[in-house]
Every structure is written in structure tokens, then in C-alpha cells.
Amino acid sequence: NLLPNTLYGVYVASVCDSAEVASSVISFTTDCLALDTIPYTWDFESNNTSGVPAYPMQACWNYLNAATTSLYVSNVAIMAHSGSHSVYSISPNDYVLVMPTIDTSVLSLNDLQLSFYAKTNYGRNATLEVGVVNDALDPTTFESIETFQLTINHSLYEVLFSYYNGSANHLAFRL
């Protein structure tokens, strides 16, 4: 009965003699629970609020093809649509931001709609693709569903997955 998305430490010890010596700690994190109810809302506000301008990505979200300094959660309020946190990319470069796993035995991807706000920074030409990945650790499995040309103002974007008939269980953004 381990809790989801929790770091655990395990020690292994021999019971063969009285000079029992434990091994060094072996750490692991349990998997996150898959999303099985909608609506699912995430705004990145519950991230670390220590005042550090760049935070690690939220637990259960994953980023591919990017260093932690290239794609991260920012606390620069001017970049956020609401609140003070947003995902920020220093320069788009085929980075893939993967949402938590969707329990496709309960929710069918082709019944889902994804709505989000996005903008580009400082007038940079930026394209944002929304799609799916079959493997949350492999950016080559990204399949684009819709592409958007971002502007310098926050805009609401919506993607319907009604025509998707594959077997992926992650929605993803590619910058």
C-alpha cells in the first residue's frame, strides 16, 4: 500500500549473523496516479514558491529534449496568464512537455478537449504543437494533432482529440 508519486528509501540487511550490516539506501519514487476524471485543471501555481525564478517541472509532468534550464516553471508573473507561474522555454527547440498519464480504460482520448493559454515572448516567432506521445520518455513518439502560431498576447487555444484513434495515453506540447 505505497502512496503514489512518493519517494521511498529501502535498506537491505542480512539476517545471517549477529553482525548485521545494512546496505546503503536504495531510493525509488512510485508512479503517479493516472488521470481518470475530468475536468483536470492545472495552473502550475502549487509549485515551489521560494522566490527562485526557475523551478523544476511539476511532479507527474515530464519534459523531453530539454535541460532544466531550457524548459521550466517560472514565477515571473508577467509571463503567466493568471497567477504568477507558467511553463517557460528559453528558446523553442523541439522540447516536448508531457502531461500526466491518462487512464485510457476510463477516459478515451478522442472524447477529450484540451484548453490552455499560451503566448510567445518578446516578439519571437514561436510555433506550439499539441499532440500525444505513446511513450512519456521518448520524444520520437510525439504525434502532432494541431499546430498554433503564438502571438505576444495570451490567447486561449483549444484542441479537440475527436479524430485521434491511436493508443497513446499522454497529451503533450512540443515547442
Side-chain angles (χ1 to χ4, degrees):
N1 290 341
L2 300 178
L3 298 173
N5 189 37
T6 302
L7 177 65
Y8 289 94
V10 177
Y11 294 91
V12 178
S14 168
V15 292
C16 296
D17 59 40
S18 60
E20 182 178 302
V21 177
S23 68
S24 58
V25 66
I26 301 167
S27 299
F28 68 95
T29 301
T30 51
D31 290 338
C32 296
L33 288 177
L35 302 176
D36 61 1
T37 57
I38 53 177
Y40 168 75
T41 302
W42 195 259
D43 61 10
F44 296 97
E45 291 302 315
S46 63
N47 206 341
N48 178 348
T49 57
S50 66
V52 178
Y55 304 128
M57 193 54 61
Q58 291 293 147
C60 305
W61 287 67
N62 196 18
Y63 55 92
L64 309 173
N65 284 357
T68 57
T69 57
S70 304
L71 184 66
Y72 57 88
V73 176
S74 169
N75 73 341
V76 179
I78 194 168
M79 295 305 298
H81 172 257
S82 63
S84 61
H85 292 80
S86 62
V87 173
Y88 183 77
S89 170
I90 290 182
S91 61
N93 191 19
D94 265 353
Y95 303 142
V96 178
L97 176 62
V98 182
M99 292 179 58
T101 304
I102 295 172
D103 184 346
T104 54
S105 70
V106 177
L107 300 172
S108 173
L109 287 190
N110 62 3
D111 289 333
L112 298 182
Q113 173 181 318
L114 178 65
S115 301
F116 60 95
Y117 286 90
K119 72 176 228 161
T120 187
N121 192 17
Y122 307 115
R124 291 183 185 146
N125 185 19
T127 300
L128 175 68
E129 291 178 85
V130 177
V132 297
V133 291
N134 283 309
D135 181 344
L137 301 176
D138 184 356
T140 66
T141 66
F142 182 86
E143 181 182 341
S144 183
I145 302 296
E146 194 160 347
T147 302
F148 301 99
Q149 188 65 44
L150 301 180
T151 67
I152 60 170
N153 298 311
H154 281 105
S155 296
L156 175 63
Y157 298 94
E158 296 182 340
V159 179
L160 298 173
F161 291 86
S162 55
Y163 294 106
Y164 178 73
N165 292 316
S167 60
N169 61 351
H170 293 89
L171 303 183
F173 301 87
R174 183 163 57 190
L175 303 140

